[in-house]
Amino acid sequence: GSGACRCARPLRRRGLLFEMSKNYVVAIDTSTYAEKAFEYAVAHSRPEDTIYLVNVRSNHTEADQIELSKDRAIATLARYEALCKTQSRNCKGVPLVRSKGTTGQDICNFAESLKIDSLILGTRGLSQFKKMLMGSISQYCVTSCNCNVTVVKS
């Protein structure tokens, strides 16, 4: 009917089941929380799936800070891309520079532009009070992204 799910469905051919590959986005930085999210993505994906590793860095105005931030992002993504290869996973590192919005908005916008199946990110485990004061990237993504979001606790 009109209320039916329009989710990706497995393909059947001569009684065999062929599942479609999936696309994931994993928010990556140098934290142990991002490492846990990455480990979760590898454990719950298949070799034919694509994992986009997204690192959002600040939009600094000083030239030396821009280069330092860029170098850190490239090194972080290279480290995780190498880990993907050891796990036989198809990963693509994507360095993003934060727009005028928030990091959460940039992550959601990227995920939505690719129409990914699931966004996976870690959480720092902030208290409710600190979340109110500082905000939470994971909380923003859960409530604002148009895709499934998995928040991996440490």
Side-chain angles (χ1 to χ4, degrees):
S2 61
C5 175
R6 295 178 189 205
C7 305
R9 301 222 189 276
L11 303 174
R12 292 192 183 274
R13 185 173 185 201
R14 293 187 191 165
L16 298 174
L17 182 64
F18 296 95
E19 290 189 24
M20 299 172 67
S21 62
K22 293 186 178 182
N23 294 314
Y24 299 93
V25 167
V26 181
I28 296 294
D29 59 20
T30 58
S31 71
T32 57
Y33 312 108
E35 192 170 323
K36 294 289 184 192
F38 172 79
E39 290 169 359
Y40 181 92
V42 169
H44 291 85
S45 64
R46 300 166 300 167
E48 62 270 20
D49 297 336
T50 301
I51 301 172
Y52 293 92
L53 305 168
V54 177
N55 178 274
V56 181
R57 64 184 199 272
S58 298
N59 50 358
H60 295 286
T61 54
E62 298 88 28
D64 58 333
Q65 289 296 320
I66 292 171
E67 285 306 308
L68 180 62
S69 179
K70 183 178 177 182
D71 291 346
R72 278 191 198 139
I74 291 169
T76 300
L77 290 170
R79 175 177 166 254
Y80 280 101
E81 286 176 313
L83 287 171
C84 279
K85 287 180 184 172
T86 66
Q87 299 292 322
S88 301
R89 293 297 183 267
N90 177 28
C91 293
K92 297 178 182 181
V94 181
L96 297 176
V97 177
R98 190 167 65 211
S99 66
K100 292 181 181 178
T102 66
T103 300
Q105 288 171 330
D106 291 335
I107 292 170
C108 287
N109 289 341
F110 178 77
E112 290 167 12
S113 73
L114 293 178
K115 298 190 181 346
I116 59 105
D117 296 293
S118 184
L119 167 63
I120 302 168
L121 32 76
T123 182
R124 293 181 293 179
L126 297 175
S127 68
Q128 287 297 98
F129 181 70
K130 284 186 179 178
K131 282 181 189 175
M132 283 185 350
L133 288 178
M134 298 170 33
S136 164
I137 294 170
S138 57
Q139 185 177 25
Y140 176 87
C141 291
V142 166
T143 58
S144 301
C145 289
N146 291 333
C147 61
N148 293 326
V149 178
T150 302
V151 179
V152 180
K153 293 183 178 182
S154 296

